Amino acid sequence: MKLRHLGEDRLLDQLLPSLPLGKTVVAGAGDDCGVVEMPPGGSFFVLKTDCIVEGVHFLSGANPLDVGW
């Protein structure tokens, strides 16, 4: 099955409940990010990811560096 058939929300519904939470996880993975304290007692890092789909979020043939930016 391809992501375009499943959809991002259904994929997240399947993946997120099984992710373990470490002691430094302030806010677990959500739709787009989580917050981790690194090192404990130090700064907070927001770890971000999101699905991007060719033809929806960028055009075919786009420079991968531009897409990532």
Side-chain angles (χ1 to χ4, degrees):
M1 178 175 283
K2 295 189 177 197
L3 178 59
R4 69 175 170 228
H5 297 121
L6 182 63
E8 182 180 1
D9 291 334
R10 285 181 53 203
L11 175 64
L12 291 173
D13 288 343
Q14 292 179 17
L15 293 177
L16 294 181
S18 63
L19 291 177
L21 296 177
K23 292 180 181 181
T24 60
V25 176
V26 177
D31 179 39
D32 288 328
C33 69
V35 180
V36 177
E37 188 177 9
M38 296 293 289
S43 300
F44 294 98
F45 288 113
V46 176
L47 305 173
K48 162 107 175 72
T49 187
D50 199 2
C51 291
I52 54 171
V53 180
E54 179 181 0
V56 175
H57 301 106
F58 64 94
L59 297 176
S60 178
N63 181 326
L65 293 174
D66 292 337
V67 173
W69 178 257

